[in-house]
Amino acid sequence: MAQSPFLRIGTRGSALALAQAHLVRRLLAAAHGVREDEIAVEIIKTSGDAILDRPLSEAGGKGLFTKEIEEQLLDGRIDLAVHSSKDMPTVLPDGLGLVCFLEREDVRDGFIGRASPTLADLPRGAVVGSSSLRRQAQIRRERPDLDVVTFRGNVQTRMAKLNAGEVAGTMLAMAGLNRLGISGEVTEVIAAERFLPAVGQGAIGVETRLADTRTRDLLAPLDHRATAIALAAERAFLAVLDGSCRTPIAGLARIEGGAIAFTGEILRPDGSESHVASRAGTVTEAEALGRDAGAELKARGGPGFFGHA
């Protein structure tokens, strides 16, 4: 009779998702003295992976990348799910929670140009592709003369489209490119102060059943405290704004010692207007600072920023 796995990890099937799931598996195996092959990795196809012909904002938002995985968590077919934190909705199904964050990778965006190595040097009218409304708005703010188009697909698909000449350039998260070992493709690293990243960008989050104390205890050694605190502020900010794929929202918290500094931003999709709010305090105030910044921007932006007008 086959022995049951030590743990069962659920993940999407893209190269990046698998790289992240296998990283979690390696860390779990090392932390608990088991072989990596004793921890199963289950590939789960999500609705978001199947929809490639239109923006996710038109199809249902971020939850499309998590729905099927969370269903398997809830019915016990897997023990934990590995996610890119920026893909996670702020409201999770009852009984589930993000209980562990790995140490954060590079939070910046990387521009990969073919017509020019930098965004600033692209010729007027050049086509730039991005699947992120946040990046699209930030590109349009900086270069309103460019033609910014929706660019769906996993990293390899987008790179293939770029190399086929469908666009003159694209922008991707440095963290994902680093994890895939292809950051050498980047022709310009964009400072976070110039393009504030998505909430959670660069952080791998692990979701499990809140009542599953065994899995939570096994994940505890992997949880990176500073990353968890930063994500608490960022996700609190996003929750106030009711943020989803429909809204260009950015936010980044930085931790230094016992202090936290948070900056959040909202933009109009065409890049014509944006508002920024910053907060600083102690790490014990992380969620409160994020909520407060979100409340400020919600008041300053009005309903037109959030898809309700």
Side-chain angles (χ1 to χ4, degrees):
M1 186 174 180
Q3 185 176 357
S4 297
F6 179 72
L7 281 169
R8 296 160 299 171
I9 298 173
T11 178
R12 295 164 61 199
S14 72
L16 177 56
L18 287 170
Q20 294 178 164
H22 284 103
L23 172 59
V24 172
R25 180 166 76 168
R26 286 196 300 275
L27 293 172
L28 281 167
H32 300 292
V34 300
R35 299 192 316 273
E36 287 185 34
D37 62 8
E38 293 180 66
I39 301 173
V41 174
E42 307 287 348
I43 297 174
I44 301 167
K45 190 169 183 64
T46 71
S47 302
D49 296 311
I51 299 171
L52 298 174
D53 60 344
R54 59 194 189 278
L56 287 180
S57 56
E58 297 176 6
K62 290 183 179 180
L64 292 170
F65 282 130
T66 60
K67 179 176 179 289
E68 289 81 3
I69 296 174
E70 289 173 334
E71 287 172 352
Q72 294 205 23
L73 259 182
L74 287 167
D75 68 17
R77 281 180 282 172
I78 58 173
D79 301 305
L80 59 138
V82 177
H83 303 284
S84 294
S85 296
K86 68 177 182 178
D87 291 337
M88 295 300 290
T90 54
V91 178
L92 303 181
D94 288 345
L96 300 182
L98 285 167
V99 302
C100 171
F101 295 98
L102 270 57
E103 184 173 3
R104 200 170 203 169
E105 244 276 10
D106 194 333
V107 301
R108 297 173 297 176
D109 290 320
F111 177 71
I112 304 172
R114 292 295 182 259
S116 164
T118 70
L119 185 64
D121 289 337
L122 282 174
R124 291 178 61 87
V127 180
V128 178
S130 175
S131 65
S132 159
L133 287 189
R134 185 234 354 140
R135 291 188 186 115
Q136 290 177 6
Q138 290 170 330
I139 293 167
R140 288 174 176 133
R141 175 177 61 190
E142 187 165 301
R143 290 290 310 271
D145 59 304
L146 297 177
D147 182 10
V148 183
V149 300
T150 298
F151 207 47
R152 288 294 317 285
N154 61 36
V155 172
Q156 285 75 14
T157 299
R158 282 182 255 180
M159 290 298 299
K161 290 179 179 179
L162 174 67
N163 292 330
E166 291 188 26
V167 295
T170 189
M171 202 170 287
L172 296 164
M174 288 299 303
L177 297 170
N178 288 339
R179 290 181 183 127
L180 288 170
I182 56 173
S183 59
E185 295 281 354
V186 173
T187 56
E188 180 185 20
V189 179
I190 308 293
E193 292 74 20
R194 179 178 164 199
F195 274 41
L196 199 66
V199 163
Q201 185 157 311
I204 294 173
V206 185
E207 184 181 23
T208 190
R209 295 178 294 278
L210 294 174
D212 183 355
T213 54
R214 173 182 178 266
T215 299
R216 295 186 67 171
D217 288 345
L218 290 171
L219 286 167
L222 277 58
D223 191 38
H224 187 254
R225 182 173 179 268
T227 301
I229 292 168
L231 268 287
E234 293 174 23
R235 287 176 60 78
F237 167 77
L238 193 63
V240 170
L241 296 173
D242 192 26
S244 72
C245 288
R246 298 184 297 276
T247 310
I249 297 174
L252 178 64
R254 298 186 187 276
I255 309 293
E256 187 169 339
I260 181 170
F262 173 80
T263 302
E265 179 179 40
I266 55 173
L267 305 97
R268 288 199 182 277
D270 64 2
S272 63
E273 184 182 352
S274 62
H275 298 280
V276 174
S278 297
R279 295 290 186 277
T282 66
V283 293
T284 58
E285 302 172 291
E287 288 189 40
L289 293 171
R291 285 194 299 269
D292 194 47
E296 178 187 332
L297 293 188
K298 191 168 189 176
R300 288 168 60 188
F305 269 92
F306 306 104
H308 304 317

